[in-house]
Amino acid sequence: MCDLVARTGRLQQRYEHGSRLVAGCIPFRYINSEEDGNSESKKVIQVLMISSSSGPGLLFPKGGWENDETVREAAVREAVEEAGVRGTLMDFLGDYEFKSKTHQDEFSPEGLCKAAMYALHVKEELEMWPEQKTRTRTWLTIEEAVESCRHAWMKDALVDGFCKWHKEKMEKGEITDEDLK
């Protein structure tokens, strides 16, 4: 039995200019990879994606940002609820706008959404989490994730947000050996 419970309902949802505000993250980790039979291992980055409860394709954890939390708290909550992971929430990657076919309501009749996305360095994978019965998690390389993204905006968040952010952090030496663990 999972002690954590996913939040449901729209009563506490935030809206701005007719768009539902959403928070999410791109969970990532580093793994060792041996190249071409070479005994030296190299760190390779993987991102975690989850199955959709409404069809094929993979997603990054995201959901409604509620009135009683900060956007960063919402992103962390969604990672736990949907993907069953905890870690260090790092930098803001950008805002991504999209239209939801399933989340049209009186405050956003056209289903417009604006997602604030963050990088989340995963430190723990939970054995039990609120949405484990409806979602599976899959660790993928960046290339695999780009091919697997269900939505174009998530692909943009991965390529234009996360990959550019990670490259800049590496070039500036802001990702340390401790981060690579």
Side-chain angles (χ1 to χ4, degrees):
M1 168 101 183
C2 183
D3 291 339
L4 300 168
V5 177
R7 290 184 173 202
T8 57
R10 294 291 165 95
L11 296 175
Q12 296 295 318
Q13 298 284 296
R14 291 181 189 239
Y15 292 84
E16 180 179 85
H17 308 299
S19 290
R20 179 173 167 247
L21 300 182
V22 172
C25 64
I26 297 180
F28 71 98
R29 71 178 181 188
Y30 299 98
I31 61 163
N32 289 323
S33 173
E34 292 183 12
E35 283 193 358
D36 302 325
N38 187 344
S39 61
E40 284 187 37
S41 68
K42 176 186 173 195
K43 293 289 185 176
V44 173
I45 193 165
Q46 291 183 323
V47 294
L48 182 70
M49 298 189 80
I50 55 175
S51 60
S52 169
S53 55
S54 63
L58 296 176
L59 312 169
F60 293 112
K62 58 106 182 96
W65 172 16
E66 300 189 359
N67 290 324
D68 64 347
E69 61 191 350
T70 67
V71 67
R72 293 178 64 88
E73 289 169 340
V76 167
R77 177 179 50 78
E78 290 297 335
V80 171
E81 287 180 2
E82 293 188 351
V85 293
R86 289 190 176 119
T88 304
L89 192 69
M90 298 183 81
D91 297 325
F92 174 69
L93 302 174
D95 284 318
Y96 298 88
E97 295 183 358
F98 64 98
K99 195 170 187 175
S100 173
K101 293 181 182 125
T102 57
H103 294 311
Q104 297 170 333
D105 58 31
E106 64 184 296
F107 301 108
S108 180
E110 296 176 21
L112 300 176
C113 297
K114 181 175 160 185
M117 296 296 287
Y118 292 84
L120 177 80
H121 189 182
V122 174
K123 304 287 186 183
E124 178 185 11
E125 288 184 62
L126 303 174
E127 289 183 33
M128 295 187 293
W129 69 97
E131 296 186 21
Q132 70 185 33
K133 287 185 173 32
T134 57
R135 300 198 188 268
T136 57
R137 344 179 243 218
T138 307
W139 286 102
L140 302 166
T141 64
I142 298 292
E143 295 78 19
E144 292 168 334
V146 167
E147 293 300 314
S148 301
C149 278
R150 179 174 180 181
H151 303 294
W153 77 267
M154 285 192 178
K155 192 179 293 190
D156 290 343
L158 178 60
V159 174
D160 297 333
F162 180 81
C163 290
K164 285 183 181 176
W165 166 82
H166 189 265
K167 182 180 179 193
E168 287 175 12
K169 294 292 251 185
M170 292 294 282
E171 287 172 353
K172 291 178 181 176
E174 294 177 5
I175 292 184
T176 65
D177 290 341
E178 187 62 29
D179 292 322
L180 295 174
K181 290 180 182 174

